[in-house]
Amino acid sequence: MNEVSQISEFGKIFIFLIVGFISVGITLFLSKLLSPNKPNPEKLSSYECGEEPVGSAWMPFNTRFYVIALIFLLFDVEMIFIFPWATVYANKELIAADSRWGVFTLIEMFIFAGILILGLVYVWRKGDLEWIKPKPITPQVNTSIPMLLYNKLNEQQQAFKVKGFSLQNEVAVVSKTAVTPTTNVIAKKPMFKPSFKKPAADE
């Protein structure tokens, strides 16, 4: 007589997780209890592949590492989805149940991989995969303003020339200001006087 299992599949997974947590906790507790604790400057120093650590650990980090890591993570997740698909794609039982199964799953995977490839092409064309960035391109804007007005404005700006700095001129200006007597500065009156209206009495 076949006995019915009292534990469901989810119960087995739950027991497996509990045993895993308990085993990891016991291992960490025993290592803390039995391992010697004798810290010294050599042990507390950061490890750099056997090299002596130089400088501070707080240093600027190139953000392009994150871009490459995100692209790798994207295609790593793609592989996670493709492997189980490849195991059931040509399953004879599924194809015998419905002949459209093979064509449907093939088209679905082509769409999934095509979207990711389009993203890779976009990142590639944008230049994010190049470690040495190309020279920035100045954007060109189409406008209805004629170029003559821009040239005229530039000519007007060139008429105002900036005087070159000279230490002798600065000393002369300072000496003149020191000789001239101080004058009383008259405070200017405000151009307008704010007026506040009293709120109307409630009727």
Side-chain angles (χ1 to χ4, degrees), residues 65-127:
F65 284 112
Y66 295 107
V67 177
I68 301 297
L70 286 174
I71 296 170
F72 166 76
L73 184 63
L74 178 69
F75 286 93
D76 196 24
V77 172
E78 178 190 8
M79 289 295 107
I80 293 174
F81 282 105
I82 286 179
F83 279 131
W85 169 83
T87 56
V88 298
Y89 164 63
N91 194 338
K92 295 180 180 179
E93 296 178 358
L94 294 174
I95 294 175
D98 192 350
S99 60
R100 297 173 296 177
W101 166 259
V103 178
F104 173 73
T105 53
L106 183 63
I107 294 173
E108 186 181 15
M109 185 50 64
F110 268 114
I111 293 173
F112 174 69
I115 293 171
L116 294 177
I117 291 172
L118 283 176
L120 178 62
V121 171
Y122 171 76
V123 173
W124 194 351
R125 293 289 297 171
K126 195 177 176 183

Short mmCIF file of all heavy atoms in Angstrom, two decimals, residues 65-127:
data_model
loop_
_atom_site.label_atom_id
_atom_site.label_comp_id
_atom_site.label_asym_id
_atom_site.label_seq_id
_atom_site.Cartn_x
_atom_site.Cartn_y
_atom_site.Cartn_z
N PHE A 65 33.48 51.24 -15.22
CA PHE A 65 33.44 49.89 -14.68
C PHE A 65 31.99 49.46 -14.45
O PHE A 65 31.61 48.32 -14.72
CB PHE A 65 34.22 49.80 -13.37
CG PHE A 65 35.71 49.78 -13.56
CD1 PHE A 65 36.48 50.84 -13.14
CD2 PHE A 65 36.33 48.70 -14.14
CE1 PHE A 65 37.85 50.83 -13.30
CE2 PHE A 65 37.71 48.67 -14.32
CZ PHE A 65 38.47 49.74 -13.89
N TYR A 66 31.17 50.39 -13.95
CA TYR A 66 29.77 50.07 -13.66
C TYR A 66 29.00 49.81 -14.95
O TYR A 66 28.12 48.95 -14.99
CB TYR A 66 29.12 51.21 -12.88
CG TYR A 66 29.71 51.41 -11.51
CD1 TYR A 66 30.52 52.51 -11.23
CD2 TYR A 66 29.46 50.51 -10.48
CE1 TYR A 66 31.06 52.69 -9.97
CE2 TYR A 66 29.99 50.69 -9.23
CZ TYR A 66 30.80 51.78 -8.97
OH TYR A 66 31.34 51.96 -7.74
N VAL A 67 29.30 50.56 -16.01
CA VAL A 67 28.62 50.35 -17.29
C VAL A 67 28.94 48.96 -17.83
O VAL A 67 28.05 48.21 -18.26
CB VAL A 67 29.02 51.44 -18.30
CG1 VAL A 67 28.38 51.19 -19.65
CG2 VAL A 67 28.62 52.81 -17.78
N ILE A 68 30.22 48.58 -17.80
CA ILE A 68 30.61 47.25 -18.28
C ILE A 68 29.99 46.17 -17.41
O ILE A 68 29.53 45.13 -17.90
CB ILE A 68 32.15 47.13 -18.29
CG1 ILE A 68 32.78 48.21 -19.19
CG2 ILE A 68 32.58 45.75 -18.75
CD1 ILE A 68 32.40 48.11 -20.64
N ALA A 69 29.94 46.40 -16.10
CA ALA A 69 29.34 45.41 -15.19
C ALA A 69 27.85 45.24 -15.46
O ALA A 69 27.33 44.12 -15.43
CB ALA A 69 29.59 45.82 -13.74
N LEU A 70 27.15 46.34 -15.74
CA LEU A 70 25.71 46.25 -16.03
C LEU A 70 25.46 45.49 -17.33
O LEU A 70 24.53 44.69 -17.44
CB LEU A 70 25.11 47.65 -16.10
CG LEU A 70 24.91 48.36 -14.75
CD1 LEU A 70 24.46 49.79 -14.98
CD2 LEU A 70 23.90 47.63 -13.90
N ILE A 71 26.30 45.74 -18.34
CA ILE A 71 26.14 45.03 -19.62
C ILE A 71 26.42 43.54 -19.43
O ILE A 71 25.70 42.68 -19.96
CB ILE A 71 27.07 45.64 -20.68
CG1 ILE A 71 26.66 47.09 -20.95
CG2 ILE A 71 27.01 44.84 -21.97
CD1 ILE A 71 27.63 47.85 -21.79
N PHE A 72 27.45 43.22 -18.65
CA PHE A 72 27.74 41.81 -18.38
C PHE A 72 26.58 41.16 -17.64
O PHE A 72 26.19 40.02 -17.95
CB PHE A 72 29.02 41.70 -17.56
CG PHE A 72 29.23 40.34 -16.95
CD1 PHE A 72 29.64 39.27 -17.73
CD2 PHE A 72 28.98 40.13 -15.61
CE1 PHE A 72 29.81 38.02 -17.18
CE2 PHE A 72 29.14 38.88 -15.04
CZ PHE A 72 29.57 37.82 -15.84
N LEU A 73 26.03 41.86 -16.64
CA LEU A 73 24.91 41.31 -15.88
C LEU A 73 23.70 41.08 -16.78
O LEU A 73 22.98 40.08 -16.63
CB LEU A 73 24.56 42.27 -14.75
CG LEU A 73 23.48 41.81 -13.78
CD1 LEU A 73 23.92 40.56 -13.05
CD2 LEU A 73 23.15 42.91 -12.79
N LEU A 74 23.48 41.97 -17.73
CA LEU A 74 22.35 41.83 -18.65
C LEU A 74 22.45 40.54 -19.45
O LEU A 74 21.50 39.75 -19.52
CB LEU A 74 22.31 43.05 -19.58
CG LEU A 74 21.22 43.06 -20.63
CD1 LEU A 74 19.86 43.22 -20.00
CD2 LEU A 74 21.46 44.17 -21.63
N PHE A 75 23.62 40.27 -20.01
CA PHE A 75 23.77 39.07 -20.83
C PHE A 75 23.97 37.83 -19.98
O PHE A 75 23.72 36.71 -20.46
CB PHE A 75 24.93 39.26 -21.82
CG PHE A 75 24.58 40.19 -22.94
CD1 PHE A 75 24.86 41.54 -22.85
CD2 PHE A 75 23.92 39.73 -24.07
CE1 PHE A 75 24.52 42.40 -23.87
CE2 PHE A 75 23.58 40.58 -25.09
CZ PHE A 75 23.88 41.93 -25.00
N ASP A 76 24.39 38.00 -18.76
CA ASP A 76 24.45 36.86 -17.85
C ASP A 76 23.04 36.38 -17.52
O ASP A 76 22.77 35.17 -17.49
CB ASP A 76 25.19 37.27 -16.57
CG ASP A 76 25.62 36.07 -15.76
OD1 ASP A 76 25.77 34.99 -16.35
OD2 ASP A 76 25.82 36.22 -14.55
N VAL A 77 22.13 37.33 -17.27
CA VAL A 77 20.74 36.97 -17.03
C VAL A 77 20.13 36.35 -18.29
O VAL A 77 19.30 35.43 -18.21
CB VAL A 77 19.95 38.22 -16.58
CG1 VAL A 77 18.46 37.93 -16.50
CG2 VAL A 77 20.46 38.71 -15.25
N GLU A 78 20.54 36.82 -19.45
CA GLU A 78 20.04 36.22 -20.70
C GLU A 78 20.43 34.74 -20.78
O GLU A 78 19.61 33.90 -21.18
CB GLU A 78 20.63 36.98 -21.89
CG GLU A 78 20.21 36.40 -23.24
CD GLU A 78 20.98 37.00 -24.38
OE1 GLU A 78 21.94 37.74 -24.15
OE2 GLU A 78 20.63 36.70 -25.54
N MET A 79 21.64 34.41 -20.39
CA MET A 79 22.07 33.00 -20.41
C MET A 79 21.24 32.17 -19.44
O MET A 79 20.93 31.00 -19.72
CB MET A 79 23.56 32.91 -20.05
CG MET A 79 24.50 33.43 -21.12
SD MET A 79 24.44 32.43 -22.62
CE MET A 79 23.55 33.52 -23.71
N ILE A 80 20.87 32.76 -18.30
CA ILE A 80 20.05 32.02 -17.32
C ILE A 80 18.71 31.64 -17.93
O ILE A 80 18.16 30.57 -17.65
CB ILE A 80 19.87 32.87 -16.05
CG1 ILE A 80 21.22 33.02 -15.34
CG2 ILE A 80 18.85 32.25 -15.11
CD1 ILE A 80 21.18 33.96 -14.15
N PHE A 81 18.15 32.51 -18.78
CA PHE A 81 16.88 32.20 -19.42
C PHE A 81 17.05 31.28 -20.62
O PHE A 81 16.15 30.49 -20.93
CB PHE A 81 16.19 33.50 -19.87
CG PHE A 81 15.53 34.24 -18.75
CD1 PHE A 81 16.10 35.38 -18.23
CD2 PHE A 81 14.34 33.79 -18.20
CE1 PHE A 81 15.50 36.07 -17.20
CE2 PHE A 81 13.73 34.47 -17.17
CZ PHE A 81 14.31 35.61 -16.65
N ILE A 82 18.18 31.36 -21.31
CA ILE A 82 18.36 30.55 -22.52
C ILE A 82 18.64 29.09 -22.19
O ILE A 82 18.19 28.18 -22.90
CB ILE A 82 19.48 31.16 -23.39
CG1 ILE A 82 18.97 32.44 -24.06
CG2 ILE A 82 19.96 30.19 -24.45
CD1 ILE A 82 20.00 33.14 -24.91
N PHE A 83 19.38 28.81 -21.10
CA PHE A 83 19.71 27.42 -20.77
C PHE A 83 18.47 26.55 -20.51
O PHE A 83 18.34 25.47 -21.10
CB PHE A 83 20.68 27.37 -19.59
CG PHE A 83 22.11 27.61 -19.97
CD1 PHE A 83 22.88 28.52 -19.27
CD2 PHE A 83 22.68 26.94 -21.03
CE1 PHE A 83 24.20 28.75 -19.63
CE2 PHE A 83 24.00 27.16 -21.40
CZ PHE A 83 24.76 28.08 -20.70
N PRO A 84 17.54 26.97 -19.66
CA PRO A 84 16.34 26.12 -19.50
C PRO A 84 15.49 26.06 -20.76
O PRO A 84 14.85 25.04 -21.02
CB PRO A 84 15.58 26.77 -18.34
CG PRO A 84 16.10 28.16 -18.25
CD PRO A 84 17.51 28.09 -18.72
N TRP A 85 15.48 27.12 -21.54
CA TRP A 85 14.74 27.09 -22.81
C TRP A 85 15.33 26.03 -23.74
O TRP A 85 14.61 25.30 -24.41
CB TRP A 85 14.79 28.47 -23.46
CG TRP A 85 14.29 28.49 -24.88
CD1 TRP A 85 13.01 28.58 -25.30
CD2 TRP A 85 15.09 28.41 -26.06
NE1 TRP A 85 12.94 28.56 -26.67
CE2 TRP A 85 14.22 28.46 -27.16
CE3 TRP A 85 16.46 28.30 -26.31
CZ2 TRP A 85 14.67 28.40 -28.48
CZ3 TRP A 85 16.91 28.25 -27.60
CH2 TRP A 85 16.02 28.30 -28.68
N ALA A 86 16.68 25.96 -23.78
CA ALA A 86 17.34 25.00 -24.68
C ALA A 86 17.07 23.56 -24.26
O ALA A 86 17.06 22.65 -25.10
CB ALA A 86 18.84 25.27 -24.72
N THR A 87 16.83 23.32 -22.97
CA THR A 87 16.61 21.95 -22.52
C THR A 87 15.22 21.43 -22.90
O THR A 87 15.03 20.22 -23.03
CB THR A 87 16.78 21.86 -21.00
OG1 THR A 87 15.90 22.79 -20.37
CG2 THR A 87 18.21 22.19 -20.60
N VAL A 88 14.24 22.32 -23.04
CA VAL A 88 12.87 21.88 -23.34
C VAL A 88 12.42 22.29 -24.74
O VAL A 88 11.29 22.04 -25.13
CB VAL A 88 11.86 22.45 -22.31
CG1 VAL A 88 12.18 21.95 -20.92
CG2 VAL A 88 11.83 23.97 -22.34
N TYR A 89 13.32 22.95 -25.51
CA TYR A 89 12.91 23.45 -26.82
C TYR A 89 12.52 22.30 -27.76
O TYR A 89 11.47 22.36 -28.41
CB TYR A 89 14.05 24.27 -27.43
CG TYR A 89 13.91 24.51 -28.91
CD1 TYR A 89 12.84 25.24 -29.42
CD2 TYR A 89 14.84 24.00 -29.81
CE1 TYR A 89 12.70 25.46 -30.77
CE2 TYR A 89 14.71 24.21 -31.16
CZ TYR A 89 13.64 24.94 -31.64
OH TYR A 89 13.51 25.16 -32.98
N ALA A 90 13.34 21.28 -27.82
CA ALA A 90 13.09 20.17 -28.74
C ALA A 90 12.53 18.95 -28.02
O ALA A 90 12.80 17.80 -28.41
CB ALA A 90 14.37 19.80 -29.48
N ASN A 91 11.77 19.17 -26.98
CA ASN A 91 11.17 18.06 -26.24
C ASN A 91 10.12 17.37 -27.13
O ASN A 91 9.17 17.99 -27.59
CB ASN A 91 10.53 18.59 -24.96
CG ASN A 91 10.20 17.46 -24.00
OD1 ASN A 91 10.07 16.31 -24.40
ND2 ASN A 91 10.05 17.81 -22.74
N LYS A 92 10.31 16.09 -27.35
CA LYS A 92 9.43 15.35 -28.27
C LYS A 92 8.00 15.26 -27.73
O LYS A 92 7.03 15.29 -28.50
CB LYS A 92 10.00 13.96 -28.52
CG LYS A 92 11.33 13.97 -29.25
CD LYS A 92 11.85 12.57 -29.48
CE LYS A 92 13.18 12.60 -30.21
NZ LYS A 92 13.73 11.24 -30.43
N GLU A 93 7.87 15.12 -26.41
CA GLU A 93 6.52 15.02 -25.83
C GLU A 93 5.73 16.31 -26.03
O GLU A 93 4.53 16.28 -26.35
CB GLU A 93 6.65 14.69 -24.34
CG GLU A 93 7.29 13.34 -24.07
CD GLU A 93 7.44 13.08 -22.59
OE1 GLU A 93 7.06 13.98 -21.80
OE2 GLU A 93 7.93 12.00 -22.21
N LEU A 94 6.39 17.46 -25.84
CA LEU A 94 5.70 18.74 -26.03
C LEU A 94 5.34 18.97 -27.50
O LEU A 94 4.25 19.46 -27.82
CB LEU A 94 6.56 19.89 -25.51
CG LEU A 94 6.82 19.91 -23.99
CD1 LEU A 94 7.80 21.00 -23.63
CD2 LEU A 94 5.51 20.12 -23.25
N ILE A 95 6.25 18.61 -28.38
CA ILE A 95 5.97 18.78 -29.81
C ILE A 95 4.85 17.83 -30.26
O ILE A 95 4.01 18.17 -31.11
CB ILE A 95 7.26 18.57 -30.64
CG1 ILE A 95 8.27 19.68 -30.31
CG2 ILE A 95 6.97 18.55 -32.13
CD1 ILE A 95 9.60 19.52 -30.97
N ALA A 96 4.84 16.60 -29.68
CA ALA A 96 3.76 15.66 -30.03
C ALA A 96 2.41 16.16 -29.51
O ALA A 96 1.38 15.94 -30.16
CB ALA A 96 4.08 14.29 -29.44
N ALA A 97 2.40 16.82 -28.37
CA ALA A 97 1.15 17.36 -27.84
C ALA A 97 0.63 18.51 -28.69
O ALA A 97 -0.57 18.63 -28.93
CB ALA A 97 1.33 17.81 -26.39
N ASP A 98 1.53 19.37 -29.17
CA ASP A 98 1.13 20.50 -30.02
C ASP A 98 2.29 20.78 -30.97
O ASP A 98 3.40 21.13 -30.54
CB ASP A 98 0.83 21.73 -29.17
CG ASP A 98 0.15 22.84 -29.98
OD1 ASP A 98 0.10 22.73 -31.22
OD2 ASP A 98 -0.32 23.82 -29.37
N SER A 99 2.04 20.64 -32.26
CA SER A 99 3.12 20.80 -33.24
C SER A 99 3.60 22.25 -33.35
O SER A 99 4.68 22.50 -33.88
CB SER A 99 2.64 20.32 -34.62
OG SER A 99 1.50 21.07 -35.03
N ARG A 100 2.81 23.21 -32.86
CA ARG A 100 3.21 24.62 -32.95
C ARG A 100 4.19 25.00 -31.84
O ARG A 100 4.68 26.13 -31.82
CB ARG A 100 1.97 25.51 -32.85
CG ARG A 100 0.98 25.31 -33.99
CD ARG A 100 -0.28 26.09 -33.73
NE ARG A 100 -0.97 25.60 -32.54
CZ ARG A 100 -2.09 26.14 -32.04
NH1 ARG A 100 -2.62 27.19 -32.65
NH2 ARG A 100 -2.66 25.64 -30.96
N TRP A 101 4.45 24.10 -30.92
CA TRP A 101 5.30 24.41 -29.77
C TRP A 101 6.71 24.81 -30.20
O TRP A 101 7.25 25.82 -29.72
CB TRP A 101 5.36 23.20 -28.85
CG TRP A 101 6.45 23.28 -27.83
CD1 TRP A 101 7.65 22.65 -27.87
CD2 TRP A 101 6.45 24.05 -26.62
NE1 TRP A 101 8.41 22.95 -26.78
CE2 TRP A 101 7.69 23.82 -25.99
CE3 TRP A 101 5.53 24.89 -26.03
CZ2 TRP A 101 8.03 24.42 -24.79
CZ3 TRP A 101 5.86 25.49 -24.84
CH2 TRP A 101 7.10 25.25 -24.23
N GLY A 102 7.31 24.07 -31.11
CA GLY A 102 8.70 24.34 -31.51
C GLY A 102 8.83 25.70 -32.19
O GLY A 102 9.73 26.49 -31.87
N VAL A 103 7.93 26.00 -33.14
CA VAL A 103 8.01 27.28 -33.86
C VAL A 103 7.74 28.45 -32.91
O VAL A 103 8.42 29.48 -32.96
CB VAL A 103 7.00 27.28 -35.03
CG1 VAL A 103 7.04 28.61 -35.76
CG2 VAL A 103 7.30 26.14 -35.98
N PHE A 104 6.77 28.28 -32.01
CA PHE A 104 6.42 29.36 -31.09
C PHE A 104 7.58 29.70 -30.16
O PHE A 104 7.93 30.87 -29.97
CB PHE A 104 5.18 28.96 -30.27
CG PHE A 104 4.84 29.92 -29.18
CD1 PHE A 104 4.28 31.15 -29.47
CD2 PHE A 104 5.10 29.59 -27.86
CE1 PHE A 104 3.97 32.04 -28.45
CE2 PHE A 104 4.80 30.47 -26.84
CZ PHE A 104 4.23 31.70 -27.14
N THR A 105 8.20 28.67 -29.57
CA THR A 105 9.30 28.92 -28.65
C THR A 105 10.53 29.48 -29.38
O THR A 105 11.25 30.30 -28.82
CB THR A 105 9.69 27.62 -27.92
OG1 THR A 105 9.92 26.58 -28.89
CG2 THR A 105 8.60 27.19 -26.98
N LEU A 106 10.75 29.05 -30.62
CA LEU A 106 11.89 29.57 -31.38
C LEU A 106 11.70 31.07 -31.67
O LEU A 106 12.62 31.87 -31.48
CB LEU A 106 12.05 28.79 -32.68
CG LEU A 106 13.26 29.18 -33.54
CD1 LEU A 106 14.55 28.90 -32.80
CD2 LEU A 106 13.22 28.45 -34.88
N ILE A 107 10.49 31.45 -32.12
CA ILE A 107 10.22 32.86 -32.40
C ILE A 107 10.30 33.69 -31.12
O ILE A 107 10.84 34.81 -31.11
CB ILE A 107 8.83 33.01 -33.07
CG1 ILE A 107 8.85 32.35 -34.44
CG2 ILE A 107 8.44 34.48 -33.18
CD1 ILE A 107 7.48 32.30 -35.11
N GLU A 108 9.78 33.14 -30.02
CA GLU A 108 9.82 33.86 -28.74
C GLU A 108 11.26 34.12 -28.30
O GLU A 108 11.59 35.23 -27.84
CB GLU A 108 9.07 33.04 -27.69
CG GLU A 108 8.93 33.75 -26.36
CD GLU A 108 8.21 32.90 -25.34
OE1 GLU A 108 8.09 31.68 -25.57
OE2 GLU A 108 7.78 33.44 -24.33
N MET A 109 12.13 33.14 -28.45
CA MET A 109 13.52 33.33 -28.03
C MET A 109 14.25 34.28 -28.96
O MET A 109 15.10 35.07 -28.52
CB MET A 109 14.24 31.97 -27.98
CG MET A 109 15.65 32.06 -27.42
SD MET A 109 15.78 32.97 -25.86
CE MET A 109 14.82 31.94 -24.78
N PHE A 110 13.92 34.27 -30.26
CA PHE A 110 14.53 35.24 -31.19
C PHE A 110 14.14 36.66 -30.81
O PHE A 110 14.95 37.59 -30.88
CB PHE A 110 14.12 34.93 -32.63
CG PHE A 110 15.07 34.02 -33.34
CD1 PHE A 110 14.69 32.75 -33.72
CD2 PHE A 110 16.36 34.44 -33.63
CE1 PHE A 110 15.57 31.91 -34.37
CE2 PHE A 110 17.25 33.61 -34.28
CZ PHE A 110 16.86 32.33 -34.66
N ILE A 111 12.89 36.87 -30.40
CA ILE A 111 12.45 38.21 -30.00
C ILE A 111 13.18 38.64 -28.72
O ILE A 111 13.66 39.78 -28.60
CB ILE A 111 10.93 38.22 -29.78
CG1 ILE A 111 10.20 38.02 -31.11
CG2 ILE A 111 10.48 39.53 -29.13
CD1 ILE A 111 8.70 37.84 -30.98
N PHE A 112 13.29 37.71 -27.77
CA PHE A 112 13.97 38.03 -26.51
C PHE A 112 15.44 38.37 -26.74
O PHE A 112 15.95 39.39 -26.23
CB PHE A 112 13.83 36.83 -25.55
CG PHE A 112 14.61 36.98 -24.28
CD1 PHE A 112 14.23 37.91 -23.33
CD2 PHE A 112 15.71 36.18 -24.03
CE1 PHE A 112 14.95 38.04 -22.15
CE2 PHE A 112 16.43 36.31 -22.86
CZ PHE A 112 16.05 37.23 -21.91
N ALA A 113 16.14 37.54 -27.52
CA ALA A 113 17.55 37.81 -27.79
C ALA A 113 17.73 39.05 -28.66
O ALA A 113 18.70 39.80 -28.52
CB ALA A 113 18.20 36.60 -28.45
N GLY A 114 16.77 39.29 -29.58
CA GLY A 114 16.88 40.47 -30.45
C GLY A 114 16.79 41.77 -29.68
O GLY A 114 17.51 42.73 -29.98
N ILE A 115 15.91 41.82 -28.66
CA ILE A 115 15.81 43.04 -27.84
C ILE A 115 17.12 43.31 -27.11
O ILE A 115 17.61 44.44 -27.05
CB ILE A 115 14.63 42.90 -26.85
CG1 ILE A 115 13.30 42.89 -27.61
CG2 ILE A 115 14.64 44.05 -25.85
CD1 ILE A 115 12.11 42.56 -26.75
N LEU A 116 17.73 42.26 -26.57
CA LEU A 116 19.00 42.44 -25.87
C LEU A 116 20.12 42.83 -26.84
O LEU A 116 20.98 43.65 -26.50
CB LEU A 116 19.37 41.16 -25.13
CG LEU A 116 18.43 40.77 -23.98
CD1 LEU A 116 18.86 39.45 -23.38
CD2 LEU A 116 18.43 41.84 -22.92
N ILE A 117 20.11 42.26 -28.04
CA ILE A 117 21.13 42.63 -29.03
C ILE A 117 20.97 44.07 -29.47
O ILE A 117 21.95 44.79 -29.68
CB ILE A 117 21.08 41.64 -30.22
CG1 ILE A 117 21.56 40.26 -29.76
CG2 ILE A 117 21.94 42.15 -31.37
CD1 ILE A 117 21.37 39.18 -30.79
N LEU A 118 19.72 44.53 -29.59
CA LEU A 118 19.49 45.94 -29.92
C LEU A 118 20.05 46.85 -28.83
O LEU A 118 20.64 47.91 -29.12
CB LEU A 118 18.00 46.21 -30.11
CG LEU A 118 17.38 45.74 -31.43
CD1 LEU A 118 15.88 45.99 -31.43
CD2 LEU A 118 18.03 46.46 -32.61
N GLY A 119 19.87 46.47 -27.57
CA GLY A 119 20.46 47.25 -26.48
C GLY A 119 21.97 47.27 -26.54
O GLY A 119 22.60 48.30 -26.30
N LEU A 120 22.59 46.12 -26.89
CA LEU A 120 24.05 46.07 -27.02
C LEU A 120 24.52 46.95 -28.16
O LEU A 120 25.53 47.67 -28.04
CB LEU A 120 24.50 44.62 -27.23
CG LEU A 120 26.00 44.41 -27.44
CD1 LEU A 120 26.77 44.85 -26.22
CD2 LEU A 120 26.30 42.97 -27.79
N VAL A 121 23.81 46.93 -29.29
CA VAL A 121 24.19 47.77 -30.43
C VAL A 121 24.07 49.25 -30.07
O VAL A 121 24.92 50.07 -30.43
CB VAL A 121 23.32 47.43 -31.65
CG1 VAL A 121 23.53 48.43 -32.78
CG2 VAL A 121 23.64 46.02 -32.15
N TYR A 122 23.02 49.59 -29.31
CA TYR A 122 22.84 50.99 -28.88
C TYR A 122 24.00 51.44 -28.00
O TYR A 122 24.56 52.53 -28.19
CB TYR A 122 21.51 51.13 -28.14
CG TYR A 122 21.33 52.47 -27.47
CD1 TYR A 122 21.02 53.60 -28.22
CD2 TYR A 122 21.49 52.60 -26.09
CE1 TYR A 122 20.86 54.83 -27.61
CE2 TYR A 122 21.33 53.83 -25.48
CZ TYR A 122 21.01 54.94 -26.24
OH TYR A 122 20.87 56.15 -25.63
N VAL A 123 24.39 50.60 -27.03
CA VAL A 123 25.50 50.95 -26.15
C VAL A 123 26.80 51.02 -26.94
O VAL A 123 27.65 51.90 -26.70
CB VAL A 123 25.60 49.92 -25.00
CG1 VAL A 123 26.83 50.16 -24.16
CG2 VAL A 123 24.37 49.99 -24.13
N TRP A 124 26.97 50.13 -27.91
CA TRP A 124 28.18 50.10 -28.73
C TRP A 124 28.27 51.37 -29.58
O TRP A 124 29.32 52.02 -29.65
CB TRP A 124 28.14 48.87 -29.61
CG TRP A 124 29.45 48.53 -30.27
CD1 TRP A 124 30.59 49.28 -30.29
CD2 TRP A 124 29.75 47.34 -30.98
NE1 TRP A 124 31.57 48.64 -30.97
CE2 TRP A 124 31.09 47.45 -31.41
CE3 TRP A 124 29.02 46.21 -31.30
CZ2 TRP A 124 31.70 46.45 -32.16
CZ3 TRP A 124 29.64 45.21 -32.05
CH2 TRP A 124 30.96 45.33 -32.46
N ARG A 125 27.16 51.74 -30.22
CA ARG A 125 27.16 52.93 -31.07
C ARG A 125 27.34 54.21 -30.25
O ARG A 125 27.90 55.19 -30.72
CB ARG A 125 25.86 53.00 -31.86
CG ARG A 125 25.70 51.90 -32.90
CD ARG A 125 26.64 52.10 -34.06
NE ARG A 125 26.35 53.34 -34.77
CZ ARG A 125 27.14 53.84 -35.73
NH1 ARG A 125 28.24 53.21 -36.06
NH2 ARG A 125 26.80 54.97 -36.34
N LYS A 126 26.85 54.19 -29.02
CA LYS A 126 26.99 55.36 -28.15
C LYS A 126 28.42 55.54 -27.68
O LYS A 126 28.82 56.63 -27.28
CB LYS A 126 26.05 55.20 -26.95
CG LYS A 126 25.82 56.47 -26.18
CD LYS A 126 24.81 56.24 -25.06
CE LYS A 126 24.63 57.50 -24.22
NZ LYS A 126 23.70 57.27 -23.10
N GLY A 127 29.23 54.48 -27.74
CA GLY A 127 30.63 54.58 -27.34
C GLY A 127 30.91 54.24 -25.91
O GLY A 127 32.01 54.50 -25.42
#
